[in-house]
């Protein structure tokens, strides 16, 4: 059964534990406007900390940035693509593809 937030076009990041460190909360709060209780609640429920549409370039870049910061601070994260476990390589490739398309469109115009 797919969670309503895990639709076919959704990308997201989850914390791989049911608890999050103070450092993890600080990192997430620095990049989002989420409250401490919202962050703790999402982690405890194994919900996406951040999720976005698969064509939302800014959202994807935010997820990549959060993933890199959290993992470099020893916080285990999981990336999801269309409700399935994914990799940071997939997310990076997606943003690279969007950048190439933008460049090609700029050249055509």
């Amino acid at each position: 059964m797919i969670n309503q937030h895990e639709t076919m076009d959704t990308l997201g990041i989850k914390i791989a534990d049911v608890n999050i460190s103070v450092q993890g909360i600080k990192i997430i709060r620095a990049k989002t406007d989420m409250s401490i209780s919202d962050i703790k609640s999402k982690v405890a429920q194994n919900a996406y900390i951040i999720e976005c549409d698969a064509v939302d370039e800014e959202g994807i870049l935010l997820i990549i940035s959060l993933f890199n910061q959290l993992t470099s601070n020893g916080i285990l994260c999981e990336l999801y693509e269309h409700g399935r476990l994914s990799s940071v390589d997939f997310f990076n490739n997606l943003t690279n593809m969007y950048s190439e398309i933008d460049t090609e469109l700029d050249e055509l115009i």
Side-chain angles (χ1 to χ4, degrees):
M1 184 170 159
I2 294 179
N3 180 312
Q4 71 179 24
H5 295 292
E6 295 178 9
T7 62
M8 293 308 293
D9 298 316
T10 301
L11 304 178
I13 182 171
K14 294 181 181 181
I15 303 299
D17 196 354
V18 292
N19 295 304
I20 186 167
S21 67
V22 172
Q23 181 65 22
I25 290 171
K26 285 181 182 178
I27 291 167
I28 294 167
R29 283 184 50 86
K31 298 220 170 260
T32 70
D33 60 358
M34 289 173 51
S35 70
I36 294 170
S37 62
D38 283 347
I39 294 168
K40 286 182 173 182
S41 174
K42 285 182 181 221
V43 171
Q45 295 172 17
N46 193 33
Y48 290 137
I49 298 299
I50 300 291
E51 63 184 301
C52 69
D53 193 73
V55 295
D56 178 357
E57 245 180 296
E58 286 181 29
I60 297 167
L61 290 171
L62 174 60
I63 289 170
I64 292 169
S65 176
L66 265 176
F67 178 85
N68 290 333
Q69 272 197 284
L70 290 166
T71 56
S72 69
N73 281 279
I75 299 160
L76 295 177
C77 302
E78 297 172 334
L79 295 173
Y80 287 84
E81 156 207 0
H82 312 306
R84 295 182 309 268
L85 207 51
S86 189
S87 70
V88 73
D89 289 336
F90 170 81
F91 281 65
N92 284 324
N93 290 339
L94 196 56
T95 59
N96 290 339
M97 181 186 72
Y98 290 149
S99 289
E100 289 172 12
I101 291 169
D102 288 345
T103 301
E104 289 174 14
L105 286 174
D106 289 345
E107 288 171 1
L108 288 172
I109 297 172

